[in-house]
């Protein structure tokens, strides 16, 4: 670099020294720099491809490496999701009993191989026995009931203890859903270890244990985290994605779509989820690759068939009835309920998390998990609808009452004049019977229980997703409303609203449809998903005519929830945990300027800057050691403050360390130059250290009179880490992304000092 008898200095951008990270943990990447590195690399590959056949083949392989990576991500995530589903079903059924043919069979698979089952009682077979049958020899009586009760609680507490113990001992990043952290990572934040191999293993194992224990958690949110872990692990085998943080985040955006795709077998909904809820930057290329990876993952999961023959997704939806425009009113009512539930859940859970921090429960996560699990199991076992898993309960609520359905939800009275052939004996033509009334009371109690226990459960140190618990709350409310509407139409079929379209013998109202709409409404109220949620539910139901009720309910729930809480649950968790995340939906109405936010403030020390000449190596090293800034502006002189450029701290450290090792005569008294031509110096003076090659000569600058609304948009759309504030070319200060986040927190009447990693 200085031509002084030493070899060529290392380029800090391409050849970082061992021990010096490209980005430090809990810092933000430089999107502009990463994009520039990607373009330079692509330009170099294209230029070399014309030199030889081998270089041309390398160029082609580099072009297709992204699609190959997407294929591997889809295959790996689909296989992992299938293993999770199979193991979860097996452990969930183990709380109730065991299969005598093979203990590795779950209840459904055990009885599906038996020829002693009936159509109405397909789940009862001699090969499957409850714990009371194994221990006492009978399933009847109070003692047998207590044996099943105690064994249910034993397995639930064991699974919950193993989950929280593994998370605490080996993988602290595995707790929660992981979606708030993934959103923050995709915005450019560095969170080392969160998407590593060990996190992948622990998250997978503990997710199975937590869901199988019966806690009010789902695996759909954590599956997004698992898919992103798979993508991050595979990225390390591709140079293009390993060395470029911006390109790696494109892969992670696609992996988020893969996670939802394997959760619901909804590849289109997964892509829209990544676009609407998770991704910070989503290009057309990322869209195509996301859909390809989601499709591969869904096909892999469907090929393995973890849900059983003939089932599509985690729960069955067995109804094909249409709806009438009059029913739009109760659908909107479900949307209002979903919005109110979403606002209540967010406010109550965040308040509970703050309470947890100030009590002993926050310092004893194992005790908290066991207490919540004991309370859940103790209250859930007596009610059949709270005892079963969330996916099984949704399958029952989404199931229509066919002629041979023996569920209590289909306990309608029989007509005396009904023929033995069943002609006209549909559920719509009958009033509610004793079985249905019992089921409605149980569902009402289950609704109250699920609402309270879901609020308490989220935040404990186990993997937990909000999708299924929120859908369960909405599905129960929707089924209750659907049954009520059905009975109202039956007993008052001569009313003006129901006279023309709902005759006594016509199947005009489907309670299962109300359950689906209620599930979508409550999930939308919690997460604020709209288009992606409607498409996911459309792929689950497979019925095009149900899009309008789903859209009406989800939009209503979003508006109602937004009237009470402006942000969704994931954004609320981001604020609670203090991650430096710029929410794309927030708008700044405050009339502040860049000079009001920039540093240094009036009471702060002067801005730490480097001069283009006149500073010795010792002075530069002392400045770097005494500060923790990620970069330094370079000015003409301390007096003029005319801006020359910006140098990153990591590049400066690499260049100085490399110069001391490779360039002869470099000492602390050597002059550091950020200019093209070196001035003359005395003969015995130490050689100059010229660092112009690592200087960014075109840093992003704004005027001190720039409105902060425009400044925030610039940070969002360009992905800046910092920008320099100038006045007529004279450097005044600097604004970093963390300054922006603090300023927006202050505008929202939140403590700006609580923004960072609480």
């Amino acid at each position: 670099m200085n031509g002084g008898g030493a070899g060529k200095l290392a380029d800090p951008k391409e050849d970082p020294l061992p021990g010096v990270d490209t980005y430090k943990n809990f810092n933000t990447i430089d999107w502009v720099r990463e994009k520039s590195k990607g373009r330079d690399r692509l330009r170099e590959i294209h230029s070399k491809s014309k030199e030889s056949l081998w270089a041309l083949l390398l160029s082609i392989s580099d072009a297709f490496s992204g699609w190959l990576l997407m294929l591997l991500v889809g295959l790996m995530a689909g296989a992992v999701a299938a293993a999770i589903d199979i193991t979860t079903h097996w452990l969930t059924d183990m709380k109730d009993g065991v299969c005598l043919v093979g203990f590795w069979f779950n209840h459904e698979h055990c009885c599906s191989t038996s020829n002693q089952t009936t159509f109405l009682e397909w789940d009862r077979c001699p090969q499957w026995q409850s714990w009371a049958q194994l221990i006492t020899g009978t399933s009847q009586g109070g003692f047998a009931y207590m044996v099943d009760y105690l064994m249910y609680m034993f397995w639930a507490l064991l699974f919950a203890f193993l989950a929280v113990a593994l998370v605490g001992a080996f993988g602290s990043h595995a707790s929660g859903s992981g979606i708030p952290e993934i959103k923050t990572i995709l915005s450019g934040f560095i969170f080392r270890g969160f998407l590593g191999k060990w996190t992948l293993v622990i998250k997978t194992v503990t997710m199975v244990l937590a869901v199988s224990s019966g806690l009010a958690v789902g695996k759909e949110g954590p599956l997004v985290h698992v898919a992103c872990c798979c993508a991050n692990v595979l990225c390390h085998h591709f140079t293009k994605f390993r060395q470029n943080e911006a390109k790696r985040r494109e892969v992670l955006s696609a992996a988020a779509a893969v996670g939802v795709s394997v959760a619901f077998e909804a590849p289109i909904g997964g892509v829209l989820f990544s676009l609407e809820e998770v991704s910070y930057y989503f290009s057309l290329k990322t869209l195509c690759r996301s859909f390809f990876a989601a499709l591969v993952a869904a096909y892999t999961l469907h090929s393995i068939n973890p849900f059983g023959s003939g089932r599509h997704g985690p729960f069955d939806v067995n109804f094909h009835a249409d709806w009438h425009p009059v029913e739009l009113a109760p659908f909107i009512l479900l949307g209002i309920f979903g919005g109110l539930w979403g606002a209540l859940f967010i406010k109550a859970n965040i308040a509970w998390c703050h309470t947890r921090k100030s009590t002993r429960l926050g310092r004893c996560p194992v005790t908290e998990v066991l207490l919540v699990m004991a309370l859940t199991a103790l209250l859930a076992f007596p009610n059949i609808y709270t005892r079963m898993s969330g996916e099984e309960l949704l399958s029952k609520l989404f199931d229509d009452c066919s002629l041979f359905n023996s569920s209590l939800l289909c306990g309608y009275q029989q007509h005396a004049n009904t023929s033995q052939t069943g002609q006209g004996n549909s559920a719509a033509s009958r009033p509610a019977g004793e079985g249905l009334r019992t089921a409605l009371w149980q569902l009402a109690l289950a609704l109250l229980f699920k609402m309270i226990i879901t609020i308490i459960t989220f935040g404990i140190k186990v993997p937990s997703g909000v999708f299924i618990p929120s859908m369960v709350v909405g599905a129960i409310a929707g089924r209750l409303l659907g049954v009520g509407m059905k009975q109202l139409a039956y007993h008052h079929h001569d009313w003006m609203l129901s006279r023309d379209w709902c005759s006594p013998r016509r199947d005009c109202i489907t309670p299962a449809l109300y359950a689906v709409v209620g599930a979508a409404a409550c999930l939308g109220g919690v997460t604020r998903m709209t288009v992606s949620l409607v498409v996911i539910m459309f792929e689950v139901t497979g019925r095009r005519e149900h899009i309008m009720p789903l859209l009406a309910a989800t939009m209503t729930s979003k508006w109602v929830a937004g009237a009470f809480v402006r942000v969704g649950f994931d954004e609320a968790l981001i604020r609670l945990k203090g991650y430096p995340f710029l929410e794309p939906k927030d708008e700044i109405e405050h009339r502040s300027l860049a000079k009001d936010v920039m540093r240094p403030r009036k009471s702060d020390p002067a801005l730490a800057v480097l001069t283009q000449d006149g500073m010795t190596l010792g002075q530069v090293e002392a400045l770097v050691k005494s500060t923790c800034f990620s970069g330094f502006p370079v000015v003409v002189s301390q007096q003029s403050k005319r801006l020359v450029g910006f140098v990153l701290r990591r590049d400066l450290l690499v260049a100085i360390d490399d110069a001391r090792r490779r360039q002869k005569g470099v000492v602390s008294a050597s002059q550091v130059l950020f200019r093209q031509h070196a001035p003359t110096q005395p003969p015995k003076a130490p050689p100059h250290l010229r660092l112009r090659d690592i200087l960014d000569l075109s840093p992003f600058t704004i005027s001190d009179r720039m409105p902060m609304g425009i400044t925030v948009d610039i940070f969002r759309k360009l992905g800046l880490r910092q920008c320099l504030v100038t006045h007529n070319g004279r450097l005044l200060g600097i604004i970093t992304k963390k300054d922006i986040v603090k300023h927006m927190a202050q505008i929202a009447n939140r403590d700006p000092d609580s923004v960072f990693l609480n």
Side-chain angles (χ1 to χ4, degrees), residues 67-94:
W67 294 99
L68 177 59
L69 178 57
M70 291 297 100
L71 175 65
L72 296 177
V73 170
L75 292 173
M76 183 176 180
V80 172
I84 290 173
D85 290 328
I86 293 172
T87 311
T88 301
H89 291 163
W90 172 56
L91 292 180
T92 300
D93 290 343
M94 186 181 289

Side-chain angles (χ1 to χ4, degrees), residues 256-387:
V258 169
V260 176
S261 175
V262 296
F264 296 98
E265 282 198 34
I268 302 176
V271 174
L272 293 177
F273 169 81
S274 179
L275 174 62
E276 181 182 6
E277 287 297 316
V278 179
S279 298
Y280 209 75
Y281 302 100
F282 205 84
S283 62
L284 181 61
K285 179 177 64 176
T286 306
L287 176 67
C288 298
R289 290 181 175 177
S290 299
F291 181 68
F292 173 71
L295 196 63
V296 171
Y299 177 77
T300 303
L301 182 67
H302 190 73
S303 301
I304 299 175
N305 192 22
F307 305 114
S309 178
R311 292 187 60 181
H312 175 74
F315 32 79
D316 269 335
V317 180
N318 294 323
F319 65 90
H320 305 284
D322 204 350
W323 61 281
H324 193 272
V326 175
E327 296 180 270
L328 201 59
F331 292 150
I332 293 176
L333 187 62
L334 284 175
I336 295 174
F337 173 80
L340 294 175
W341 157 249
L344 172 65
F345 173 75
I346 294 172
K347 281 183 172 292
N349 184 257
I350 296 300
W352 176 249
C353 289
H354 283 296
T355 304
R356 179 186 291 117
K357 286 183 178 181
S358 59
T359 60
R360 294 183 60 184
L361 289 178
R363 298 185 293 270
C364 303
V366 177
T367 303
E368 182 188 15
V369 170
L370 292 180
L371 287 176
V372 173
M373 184 70 260
L375 179 65
T376 302
L378 186 66
L379 298 179
F381 186 84
N383 191 333
I384 184 63
Y385 296 112
T386 55
R387 186 191 313 173

Side-chain angles (χ1 to χ4, degrees), residues 465-480:
V466 75
F467 281 42
I468 290 297
S470 297
M471 292 177 69
V472 165
V473 171
I476 295 175
R479 188 78 185 210
L480 291 173

Side-chain angles (χ1 to χ4, degrees), residues 728-749:
N728 295 333
R730 186 173 184 270
L731 179 66
L732 296 182
I734 186 172
I735 298 178
T736 65
K737 186 176 180 180
K738 292 183 178 180
D739 295 328
I740 297 289
V741 177
K742 278 190 174 183
H743 177 68
M744 297 187 70
Q746 191 173 10
I747 291 177
N749 296 322

Side-chain angles (χ1 to χ4, degrees), residues 220-232:
E220 284 67 25
L223 277 174
V224 176
H225 187 188
V226 168
C228 288
C229 288
C230 294
N232 186 66

